[in-house]
Amino acid sequence: MSLAKSEMYNLISQKLYTGVICDTLDQLGFRNQAMREDIRPMDQAVTLVGTAKTMLAVDVYQTMKNPYDTEIKAIDSIQPDEVVVVATNRSTRNGPWGELLSTAAKMRGARGAIVDGLIRDSKRISELRFPVFCTGFKPVDSNGRGIVIDYDCPVEVGGVLVNSGDIVFADHDGVVVIPKDTLEQVVEIALQKVNRENRTREELLQGKLLRDVYEKYGVL
Amino acid sequence: MSLAKSEMYNLISQKLYTGVICDTLDQLGFRNQAMREDIRPMDQAVTLVGTAKTMLAVDVYQTMKNPYDTEIKAIDSIQPDEVVVVATNRSTRNGPWGELLSTAAKMRGARGAIVDGLIRDSKRISELRFPVFCTGFKPVDSNGRGIVIDYDCPVEVGGVLVNSGDIVFADHDGVVVIPKDTLEQVVEIALQKVNRENRTREELLQGKLLRDVYEKYGVL
Amino acid sequence: MSLAKSEMYNLISQKLYTGVICDTLDQLGFRNQAMREDIRPMDQAVTLVGTAKTMLAVDVYQTMKNPYDTEIKAIDSIQPDEVVVVATNRSTRNGPWGELLSTAAKMRGARGAIVDGLIRDSKRISELRFPVFCTGFKPVDSNGRGIVIDYDCPVEVGGVLVNSGDIVFADHDGVVVIPKDTLEQVVEIALQKVNRENRTREELLQGKLLRDVYEKYGVL
Amino acid sequence: MSLAKSEMYNLISQKLYTGVICDTLDQLGFRNQAMREDIRPMDQAVTLVGTAKTMLAVDVYQTMKNPYDTEIKAIDSIQPDEVVVVATNRSTRNGPWGELLSTAAKMRGARGAIVDGLIRDSKRISELRFPVFCTGFKPVDSNGRGIVIDYDCPVEVGGVLVNSGDIVFADHDGVVVIPKDTLEQVVEIALQKVNRENRTREELLQGKLLRDVYEKYGVL
Amino acid sequence: MSLAKSEMYNLISQKLYTGVICDTLDQLGFRNQAMREDIRPMDQAVTLVGTAKTMLAVDVYQTMKNPYDTEIKAIDSIQPDEVVVVATNRSTRNGPWGELLSTAAKMRGARGAIVDGLIRDSKRISELRFPVFCTGFKPVDSNGRGIVIDYDCPVEVGGVLVNSGDIVFADHDGVVVIPKDTLEQVVEIALQKVNRENRTREELLQGKLLRDVYEKYGVL
Amino acid sequence: MSLAKSEMYNLISQKLYTGVICDTLDQLGFRNQAMREDIRPMDQAVTLVGTAKTMLAVDVYQTMKNPYDTEIKAIDSIQPDEVVVVATNRSTRNGPWGELLSTAAKMRGARGAIVDGLIRDSKRISELRFPVFCTGFKPVDSNGRGIVIDYDCPVEVGGVLVNSGDIVFADHDGVVVIPKDTLEQVVEIALQKVNRENRTREELLQGKLLRDVYEKYGVL
């Protein structure tokens, strides 16, 4: 990659948006990369992009021995520019992510977290300015409710299979997963698409009919 | 109608709210005019009122020939003071509405859109100040996911049957559909109800018991 | 209780949060005290604590004689520092709570309301600064849709059984029910937990590994 | 009515089926008379037709005084050829119908029951040969879980508004509600439709193309 | 216990039914012992009673090393008169139970299985006459979809917490869990209730009014 | 293909079952070929295999001109050994399949139908001995509720993408889609797997431990 990873992520965050990335992935034949619509940003204005670091949490019904063991290993192994991607098998009993995990993850260099489940400590996470996308909130601890059984493993999050190393990009429209080997190609094509959309918008704002503008640029 | 259409809509927007309209429609025997609660405003503070212009989008599973043909015809035929009302048969795969459609619709005079489905380009739509009510967000294009098969046809949106020409009124409490022939009567009765609610509120704020105030004004 | 009730509630509101209360209740063996995640605050920043006053509304399909009779009795019997807790059996047809009830409740001294159902008049309720947590919004009146059949009775709200006299505490993370006889003990333990979490946070912010900090404080 | 009620019901049961009744009601402009698909017959082979006698049960969370009072009145007032139609507001906590109610209802002359909810004692109800359509089974008693608050009132069952006196007709395809004033007209038209469908079927069974047969009879 | 375990289970199976057991548990204060209604018998006529042996399966997204290790240990440790009770956290991706597990379990003495999830090989399981209650069917293997992470642990199945050693009783009306220390008391009370229900039924079948019979026996 | 298509299908139907086909497809890397569990056989004992012929029906809200035009073309173009596979975008309003379509399809040589939606005329379809798998029953006609917009197009049915020409195989455990180019390979491997399962079963029935038998045959 000609750009350093963090520069590439900043470029995506500043110049692109999830819609144009999805269109590009569609064009390349990756048509199921957008997560389910119930994974939402805590802060509507935030944009998040980084390298996926996956964790798999599952529901349990008793306090376990060393309940946090795998979870702590996962967090302490985070690398800079990673985004923690947490599968919970869509639990609504557990609150597997909270402020202290956010703090520890941030200090290791994580850019944010995507949780296919409920989280807690939302107010303090906001104050920490650590971007989190999740399906909702519940003030409960995971002890006796869920346990992390693996990390850096394939997980299904929001209906999309994610591997550690894939790129996740999230904004107000949702979360999209870019397979790791396609990143440079995706960004290059997407930047061109943005230009075409810009010209379409300009002509529409001049009052031209959609028919005429669409026939000129082929974008909608 | 003694008032021009746009003046009537401005009056509704400034003096009335969906709750008092629903009560009035109840009184006239129209008891199923409020849409399902999952159709929400993008901007919580916005109010939207206008003449319904319906579109029907359905899910498909391949790229179609001329996928946007009917959609473009629908958009280019929008008249001032219309609100685009999009049925998707509650799709969660497709994102049938976005920024470029919003721009084109706005330039034809549309006041906003009600989508019983997911949309994308939410940030730019906000910047455009084009009010949209929808069930959520997904960054995908409709090409290969959905197609508009008809417009100006009856549609079911949020559980309410809507015809082009009906009046839709939407605020933070939800979306209500006013059958076109009842508009003047509905507005007249609703304005009276507002007065009665104002007097009820005032007396409650003086600390009177709900029992006493309700017996005086019959409003709750 | 050494503190007056309202002082205790203010202490909870200022020093504690629902997460630490849930952890404390877990420790005391009360593991199902957090409500379902779809009961959300109207205003994300608000905190609400008070004594539960329960009401039970059920769906009906006709206009009843004296439809508001039990409801009015319930509202007029509210005591200061109470929070109205409304069960609707998860109705999505009815809007059993609105501005006039909020006004009347506030004037009797209520601190807010928790509704396991839809409400209306959300804009005016916000202006009234009366905190309401609910599952959503619908602009319809309850007349012909629902009726209050009892109050000060056990109700299931958000999946938690609540009795009048229990303490409800709600913030951005959700709503937790504190059984009335445990309040003092819960608050005392929770205040200690907060200290431990504070020290954990501080050491994480210094960049220490989660493993080391967790082993020191046992908090996560 | 030229036929006695019970003779009319026997005629419907022997010569007609819910599909042809729905088509007839469609033709007369009653397009929402078929109940939701999750109300299913206990015995797949059974057909049930009779005069609706409605009951409305709602969830409660404590043992009530005289919990069965209204329910007993409802059952004891059943007339011959009635079908008990029970709304529960779609409860999945309660089992409001069982064997003893079936026995009592049958002895008063009821032809069966339609329950928009769960029932119990399914084995004995089968042995009693009392046809019941319901959404499922749960072995719990209603005491402390639900209470009948009204009967002979309008109810919504399977998404269809039913009044005592309407005719309900149920077979393996589902449950349809015939508004009481339309019965004779509906039966007359339906009998003619059956003939046309019979001729269509015969010609299809001879191997003719659907196009040709449809153009001849206009039925599909 | 004065009766051997297997004799007790046969007595329950022959003389009792889940409804009367639920009523007895209600009376003793255990009001949440009936499982969710979507756990259904494969064979409607079958009755199943035995000692719970729990297993916890969770969804995974890759083929694991030794995927069946814990599962095999669980099966090989089954004791006579046990019923395997499988939690899957309500997975609809996995089919964690099938014919070979049924065969192995039966040969160890298991009386049947309760699965809060989907199963496969339903035809052969029927031929084996091994009673299974489950939420449905899917022909997929668990390898790469789910893994058993624990057994003889507390699990939540059909919304009820079950421990190994509890007694499960299942018939056409559903599945009920009898806490292990209450079994003898529950059976004794239930047998008396059956008598009272029998007398109620007899008098109803003589045509008496429900009011009169209920006042005599207090059963409904 | 060395066997004629109909002979191949009969071989599958007699010697194989959906479970072993899914395992084989897993092994070949096709891991999402089993449909959602809510598509169920009308007759539990039936097995259905054939070449997919797809149809796409969508919900509409008015009576269309020539509502059956595309549908009739689709049915009249059915070839022997085909199975009609109907997508409805999971409609619960419409009943797009019934007896007359079944009759016409059967006379063209269709082996059965898979409908991801509700059907009607279930009793007569059973009498016709035309196997249908569907999600449920509703006695309504499609006229004014749905319309077939395309056929021999890709459709998503039960969550699996199906093309005309793929092979569908359905039994009591569910429905599996075999991509057309893999059929011979899948059948060959599956027949071997059946042998290994047979030997596993035999040794389990001799009472051997699952551990020992699994280590010998590697099948579970």
Side-chain angles (χ1 to χ4, degrees):
Chain A
M1 209 185 296
S2 45
L3 287 175
K5 203 178 270 189
S6 65
E7 288 169 15
M8 181 61 112
Y9 294 164
N10 291 341
L11 173 69
I12 291 172
S13 187
Q14 287 157 22
K15 297 281 172 78
L16 296 172
Y17 35 94
T18 55
V20 77
I21 294 289
C22 280
D23 290 357
T24 305
L25 288 166
D26 273 1
Q27 180 182 324
L28 298 176
F30 298 94
R31 293 187 59 86
N32 188 31
Q33 299 304 112
M35 290 187 182
R36 224 177 29 245
E37 69 282 2
D38 59 355
I39 303 186
R40 298 296 304 151
M42 281 182 53
D43 172 351
Q44 310 286 342
V46 91
T47 291
L48 170 64
V49 59
T51 312
K53 166 147 195 118
T54 63
M55 287 172 55
L56 177 54
V58 300
D59 281 3
V60 296
Y61 304 90
Q62 66 181 330
T63 301
M64 312 294 279
K65 272 179 301 182
N66 305 321
Y68 302 122
D69 201 55
T70 306
E71 191 169 356
I72 289 173
K73 275 186 206 153
I75 297 295
D76 282 342
S77 67
I78 289 171
Q79 298 296 314
D81 291 318
E82 287 189 335
V83 169
V84 187
V85 176
V86 185
T88 73
N89 294 336
R90 307 187 69 177
S91 173
T92 57
R93 293 174 62 242
N94 191 12
W97 191 265
E99 179 222 349
L100 295 179
L101 292 183
S102 296
T103 305
K106 182 174 184 170
M107 295 311 291
R108 296 281 79 71
R111 287 171 162 254
I114 314 279
V115 185
D116 192 355
L118 309 175
I119 71 160
R120 68 173 188 172
D121 306 327
S122 46
K123 199 178 147 206
R124 283 204 183 264
I125 293 175
S126 293
E127 290 164 1
L128 189 65
R129 299 192 168 277
F130 184 75
V132 177
F133 287 65
C134 61
T135 61
F137 305 93
K138 199 164 203 178
V140 295
D141 184 32
S142 58
N143 192 2
R145 295 189 178 84
I147 189 166
V148 173
I149 59 166
D150 203 358
Y151 65 95
D152 288 337
C153 56
V155 290
E156 197 175 293
V157 172
V160 181
L161 200 71
V162 186
N163 284 280
S164 281
D166 288 337
I167 293 86
V168 289
F169 178 25
D171 63 17
H172 186 271
D173 282 348
V175 188
V176 59
V177 181
I178 309 171
K180 61 182 143 185
D181 297 334
T182 69
L183 180 63
E184 280 194 272
Q185 187 184 11
V186 165
V187 170
E188 191 179 328
I189 298 174
L191 288 168
Q192 294 162 8
K193 277 183 190 290
V194 167
N195 282 336
R196 224 152 57 225
E197 290 194 12
N198 286 344
R199 291 198 296 272
T200 298
R201 181 185 309 113
E202 281 161 26
E203 301 212 6
L204 288 174
L205 285 171
Q206 292 161 14
K208 292 190 184 164
L209 285 180
L210 183 57
R211 169 74 63 196
D212 299 329
V213 182
Y214 175 66
E215 282 177 359
K216 192 162 169 191
Y217 297 109
V219 167
L220 203 122
Chain B
M1 209 184 297
S2 46
L3 286 175
K5 204 180 269 188
S6 64
E7 287 170 15
M8 181 62 112
Y9 294 164
N10 291 341
L11 171 69
I12 292 172
S13 188
Q14 288 156 21
K15 296 282 172 75
L16 297 172
Y17 36 93
T18 53
V20 77
I21 294 290
C22 280
D23 291 357
T24 305
L25 288 166
D26 273 0
Q27 180 182 324
L28 298 176
F30 298 93
R31 292 187 59 87
N32 187 31
Q33 299 303 113
M35 290 188 183
R36 226 178 28 243
E37 69 282 1
D38 59 355
I39 302 186
R40 296 296 304 149
M42 281 182 51
D43 172 351
Q44 310 286 342
V46 91
T47 292
L48 171 64
V49 59
T51 313
K53 165 142 196 124
T54 64
M55 288 172 56
L56 176 56
V58 300
D59 280 4
V60 296
Y61 304 91
Q62 65 181 333
T63 301
M64 312 295 279
K65 273 180 299 182
N66 306 321
Y68 302 123
D69 201 57
T70 306
E71 191 169 355
I72 289 172
K73 274 186 206 152
I75 298 294
D76 281 343
S77 67
I78 289 171
Q79 299 296 314
D81 290 318
E82 288 189 334
V83 169
V84 188
V85 176
V86 186
T88 73
N89 293 338
R90 306 187 71 177
S91 173
T92 57
R93 293 174 62 242
N94 191 12
W97 191 265
E99 178 222 351
L100 297 180
L101 292 183
S102 296
T103 305
K106 182 173 184 172
M107 295 310 291
R108 295 282 79 74
R111 287 170 162 256
I114 313 280
V115 185
D116 191 355
L118 310 175
I119 71 160
R120 67 174 189 172
D121 307 327
S122 46
K123 197 177 147 208
R124 284 205 184 264
I125 293 175
S126 294
E127 289 164 3
L128 189 65
R129 299 191 169 279
F130 184 76
V132 177
F133 286 65
C134 61
T135 61
F137 306 93
K138 197 163 205 179
V140 296
D141 185 32
S142 58
N143 192 1
R145 294 189 178 84
I147 190 167
V148 172
I149 60 165
D150 204 358
Y151 64 96
D152 288 338
C153 56
V155 291
E156 198 174 293
V157 172
V160 181
L161 199 71
V162 186
N163 284 280
S164 282
D166 288 337
I167 293 85
V168 289
F169 178 25
D171 62 17
H172 186 272
D173 281 349
V175 187
V176 60
V177 181
I178 309 172
K180 60 183 143 185
D181 296 336
T182 70
L183 181 62
E184 280 195 89
Q185 186 184 13
V186 165
V187 170
E188 192 179 328
I189 299 174
L191 288 168
Q192 295 161 8
K193 280 184 187 290
V194 168
N195 283 337
R196 225 153 57 226
E197 291 194 13
N198 286 344
R199 290 197 298 273
T200 299
R201 180 184 311 112
E202 281 161 26
E203 301 212 6
L204 288 174
L205 285 171
Q206 292 161 13
K208 292 188 183 165
L209 285 179
L210 183 55
R211 169 74 62 198
D212 299 330
V213 182
Y214 174 67
E215 281 177 359
K216 190 161 169 193
Y217 297 108
V219 167
L220 203 120
Chain C
M1 210 184 294
S2 45
L3 286 175
K5 203 180 271 190
S6 64
E7 287 170 15
M8 181 61 111
Y9 294 163
N10 290 342
L11 172 70
I12 292 172
S13 188
Q14 287 158 20
K15 296 281 173 77
L16 296 172
Y17 36 95
T18 55
V20 76
I21 294 290
C22 280
D23 291 356
T24 305
L25 288 166
D26 273 1
Q27 179 182 323
L28 299 176
F30 298 94
R31 292 186 58 87
N32 186 31
Q33 299 303 112
M35 291 188 183
R36 225 177 29 245
E37 68 282 1
D38 60 355
I39 302 185
R40 297 297 303 150
M42 280 182 53
D43 172 351
Q44 309 287 341
V46 90
T47 292
L48 171 63
V49 58
T51 312
K53 164 139 197 127
T54 64
M55 287 172 55
L56 176 55
V58 301
D59 281 4
V60 297
Y61 304 91
Q62 66 181 332
T63 301
M64 312 295 278
K65 272 179 299 180
N66 306 321
Y68 302 122
D69 201 57
T70 306
E71 191 169 356
I72 289 173
K73 274 186 206 152
I75 298 294
D76 281 342
S77 66
I78 289 171
Q79 298 296 314
D81 291 317
E82 288 189 334
V83 169
V84 186
V85 176
V86 185
T88 73
N89 293 338
R90 305 187 70 176
S91 173
T92 58
R93 294 173 62 242
N94 191 12
W97 191 266
E99 179 222 349
L100 296 179
L101 292 182
S102 296
T103 305
K106 183 173 184 172
M107 294 311 291
R108 296 280 80 72
R111 287 171 162 254
I114 313 280
V115 184
D116 192 354
L118 309 175
I119 71 160
R120 67 174 190 173
D121 306 327
S122 46
K123 199 179 146 206
R124 284 204 183 265
I125 293 174
S126 293
E127 290 164 2
L128 189 65
R129 299 191 170 277
F130 184 76
V132 177
F133 287 64
C134 61
T135 61
F137 306 94
K138 199 164 204 178
V140 296
D141 184 33
S142 59
N143 192 1
R145 294 189 178 84
I147 190 166
V148 173
I149 60 167
D150 203 358
Y151 65 96
D152 288 337
C153 55
V155 291
E156 196 174 293
V157 172
V160 181
L161 200 70
V162 186
N163 284 280
S164 281
D166 288 337
I167 292 86
V168 289
F169 178 24
D171 62 17
H172 186 272
D173 281 348
V175 188
V176 58
V177 180
I178 308 171
K180 61 183 143 185
D181 297 334
T182 70
L183 182 62
E184 279 195 272
Q185 186 184 13
V186 165
V187 170
E188 191 179 330
I189 298 174
L191 288 169
Q192 295 161 8
K193 279 183 189 288
V194 168
N195 282 337
R196 224 152 58 225
E197 290 193 13
N198 286 345
R199 290 198 298 271
T200 298
R201 180 184 311 112
E202 281 161 24
E203 301 212 7
L204 288 174
L205 285 171
Q206 291 161 14
K208 292 189 184 165
L209 285 180
L210 183 56
R211 168 74 61 197
D212 299 330
V213 182
Y214 175 66
E215 282 177 358
K216 192 160 168 191
Y217 297 108
V219 167
L220 203 120
Chain D
M1 207 185 295
S2 46
L3 287 175
K5 204 178 270 189
S6 65
E7 287 169 16
M8 181 61 112
Y9 293 164
N10 291 341
L11 172 69
I12 292 171
S13 188
Q14 288 156 21
K15 296 281 172 78
L16 296 172
Y17 36 95
T18 54
V20 76
I21 294 290
C22 280
D23 291 356
T24 304
L25 288 166
D26 273 1
Q27 180 182 323
L28 299 176
F30 298 94
R31 292 186 60 85
N32 187 32
Q33 299 303 113
M35 290 187 183
R36 226 178 28 245
E37 68 282 0
D38 60 354
I39 303 185
R40 297 295 304 150
M42 280 183 51
D43 172 351
Q44 311 285 343
V46 90
T47 292
L48 170 64
V49 59
T51 312
K53 165 143 196 123
T54 64
M55 288 172 55
L56 176 55
V58 301
D59 281 4
V60 297
Y61 303 90
Q62 65 180 332
T63 301
M64 313 294 279
K65 272 179 300 181
N66 306 321
Y68 301 124
D69 200 56
T70 306
E71 191 169 355
I72 288 172
K73 275 186 205 153
I75 297 294
D76 282 342
S77 67
I78 289 171
Q79 298 296 315
D81 291 317
E82 288 188 335
V83 169
V84 187
V85 176
V86 185
T88 72
N89 293 337
R90 305 187 70 176
S91 173
T92 58
R93 294 174 62 243
N94 191 12
W97 191 265
E99 178 222 351
L100 297 179
L101 291 183
S102 296
T103 305
K106 183 174 182 169
M107 295 310 291
R108 294 281 80 71
R111 287 171 161 253
I114 314 280
V115 184
D116 193 355
L118 309 175
I119 70 159
R120 68 174 190 172
D121 307 326
S122 46
K123 199 178 147 207
R124 283 203 182 266
I125 293 175
S126 294
E127 290 165 2
L128 189 66
R129 299 191 169 276
F130 184 75
V132 176
F133 287 64
C134 62
T135 61
F137 306 94
K138 198 164 204 178
V140 296
D141 185 32
S142 58
N143 192 3
R145 294 188 178 85
I147 190 166
V148 172
I149 59 166
D150 203 358
Y151 65 96
D152 288 338
C153 56
V155 290
E156 197 174 293
V157 172
V160 182
L161 200 70
V162 186
N163 284 280
S164 282
D166 288 336
I167 293 86
V168 289
F169 178 24
D171 62 18
H172 185 271
D173 281 349
V175 188
V176 59
V177 180
I178 309 171
K180 61 183 143 185
D181 296 335
T182 70
L183 181 62
E184 279 194 90
Q185 187 185 11
V186 165
V187 170
E188 191 179 330
I189 298 175
L191 288 169
Q192 294 162 8
K193 278 183 189 291
V194 167
N195 283 336
R196 224 152 57 226
E197 290 194 12
N198 286 345
R199 289 197 298 272
T200 299
R201 181 184 309 114
E202 281 161 25
E203 300 212 8
L204 288 174
L205 285 171
Q206 292 162 15
K208 293 190 183 161
L209 285 179
L210 184 56
R211 170 73 64 196
D212 299 330
V213 181
Y214 175 66
E215 282 177 359
K216 193 160 167 191
Y217 297 108
V219 166
L220 202 121
Chain E
M1 208 184 298
S2 45
L3 285 176
K5 204 180 271 189
S6 65
E7 286 169 16
M8 181 61 113
Y9 293 164
N10 291 341
L11 171 69
I12 292 171
S13 187
Q14 287 156 21
K15 297 280 172 78
L16 297 172
Y17 37 94
T18 54
V20 76
I21 294 289
C22 280
D23 291 357
T24 305
L25 288 166
D26 273 1
Q27 180 182 325
L28 299 176
F30 298 94
R31 291 187 59 86
N32 187 31
Q33 299 304 112
M35 290 188 184
R36 226 175 30 243
E37 68 282 2
D38 60 355
I39 302 186
R40 297 296 304 150
M42 280 182 52
D43 172 352
Q44 311 285 343
V46 90
T47 291
L48 170 64
V49 59
T51 313
K53 165 142 196 124
T54 64
M55 287 172 56
L56 176 56
V58 300
D59 280 4
V60 297
Y61 304 91
Q62 65 181 332
T63 301
M64 313 294 279
K65 273 179 299 181
N66 306 322
Y68 302 124
D69 201 56
T70 306
E71 191 169 354
I72 289 172
K73 274 186 206 153
I75 298 293
D76 281 342
S77 66
I78 289 171
Q79 299 295 316
D81 290 319
E82 288 188 334
V83 169
V84 187
V85 176
V86 185
T88 73
N89 294 338
R90 304 188 71 178
S91 173
T92 58
R93 293 174 63 242
N94 191 13
W97 191 266
E99 178 222 349
L100 296 180
L101 292 183
S102 295
T103 305
K106 183 174 182 170
M107 295 310 293
R108 295 281 80 72
R111 287 170 163 255
I114 313 280
V115 184
D116 192 354
L118 310 176
I119 70 159
R120 67 173 189 171
D121 307 325
S122 47
K123 199 179 145 206
R124 283 205 182 265
I125 293 175
S126 293
E127 290 164 3
L128 189 65
R129 299 191 169 278
F130 184 76
V132 177
F133 287 64
C134 61
T135 61
F137 305 93
K138 199 163 204 179
V140 296
D141 184 33
S142 59
N143 192 2
R145 294 190 178 84
I147 190 166
V148 172
I149 59 166
D150 204 358
Y151 65 96
D152 288 338
C153 56
V155 291
E156 197 174 292
V157 173
V160 181
L161 199 71
V162 186
N163 284 280
S164 281
D166 288 337
I167 292 86
V168 289
F169 178 24
D171 62 17
H172 187 271
D173 281 349
V175 188
V176 59
V177 181
I178 309 171
K180 61 183 143 185
D181 296 336
T182 69
L183 182 62
E184 280 195 272
Q185 186 184 12
V186 165
V187 170
E188 191 179 329
I189 299 175
L191 288 169
Q192 295 161 9
K193 279 183 188 290
V194 168
N195 283 337
R196 222 150 60 225
E197 290 194 13
N198 286 344
R199 290 197 297 272
T200 299
R201 182 184 311 113
E202 280 161 26
E203 302 212 6
L204 287 174
L205 285 171
Q206 291 161 15
K208 293 189 182 163
L209 285 179
L210 184 56
R211 168 75 62 199
D212 299 331
V213 181
Y214 175 67
E215 282 176 358
K216 191 161 168 191
Y217 297 108
V219 167
L220 203 121
Chain F
M1 207 185 295
S2 44
L3 287 175
K5 204 179 269 187
S6 64
E7 287 168 16
M8 180 61 112
Y9 294 164
N10 290 341
L11 172 70
I12 292 171
S13 187
Q14 288 157 21
K15 296 281 172 77
L16 297 172
Y17 37 93
T18 55
V20 76
I21 294 290
C22 279
D23 290 357
T24 305
L25 287 166
D26 273 2
Q27 180 181 324
L28 298 176
F30 298 94
R31 292 186 59 86
N32 187 30
Q33 299 303 113
M35 291 187 182
R36 226 177 30 243
E37 70 282 1
D38 61 355
I39 303 186
R40 297 296 305 149
M42 280 181 52
D43 172 352
Q44 311 285 345
V46 90
T47 292
L48 171 64
V49 59
T51 312
K53 165 145 196 120
T54 63
M55 288 172 56
L56 176 55
V58 300
D59 281 4
V60 296
Y61 303 91
Q62 65 180 332
T63 301
M64 312 294 279
K65 273 179 299 183
N66 306 320
Y68 302 123
D69 201 55
T70 306
E71 191 169 355
I72 288 173
K73 274 185 206 152
I75 298 294
D76 281 343
S77 68
I78 289 172
Q79 299 295 315
D81 291 319
E82 289 188 334
V83 169
V84 187
V85 176
V86 185
T88 73
N89 293 337
R90 306 188 70 177
S91 173
T92 57
R93 293 174 62 243
N94 191 13
W97 191 266
E99 178 223 350
L100 295 180
L101 292 183
S102 296
T103 305
K106 182 174 184 170
M107 295 310 292
R108 296 281 79 73
R111 286 171 162 255
I114 313 280
V115 184
D116 192 355
L118 310 175
I119 70 160
R120 67 173 188 172
D121 306 327
S122 46
K123 198 179 147 206
R124 282 204 183 265
I125 293 175
S126 294
E127 290 164 2
L128 189 65
R129 298 191 168 279
F130 184 76
V132 177
F133 287 64
C134 62
T135 60
F137 305 93
K138 198 163 205 179
V140 295
D141 185 32
S142 58
N143 193 2
R145 294 189 178 84
I147 189 166
V148 172
I149 60 166
D150 204 356
Y151 64 95
D152 288 338
C153 56
V155 291
E156 197 173 295
V157 172
V160 181
L161 200 70
V162 186
N163 284 280
S164 281
D166 288 337
I167 292 85
V168 289
F169 178 25
D171 62 17
H172 186 271
D173 281 349
V175 188
V176 59
V177 180
I178 309 171
K180 61 183 143 184
D181 297 335
T182 69
L183 181 62
E184 280 195 90
Q185 187 184 11
V186 164
V187 170
E188 192 179 327
I189 298 174
L191 288 169
Q192 294 162 8
K193 279 184 188 289
V194 167
N195 283 336
R196 222 150 59 225
E197 290 193 12
N198 286 344
R199 290 198 296 273
T200 299
R201 181 185 309 114
E202 281 161 25
E203 301 211 7
L204 288 174
L205 284 171
Q206 292 161 12
K208 293 190 183 163
L209 285 179
L210 183 56
R211 168 74 64 198
D212 299 330
V213 182
Y214 175 66
E215 282 178 358
K216 192 161 168 192
Y217 296 108
V219 167
L220 204 121

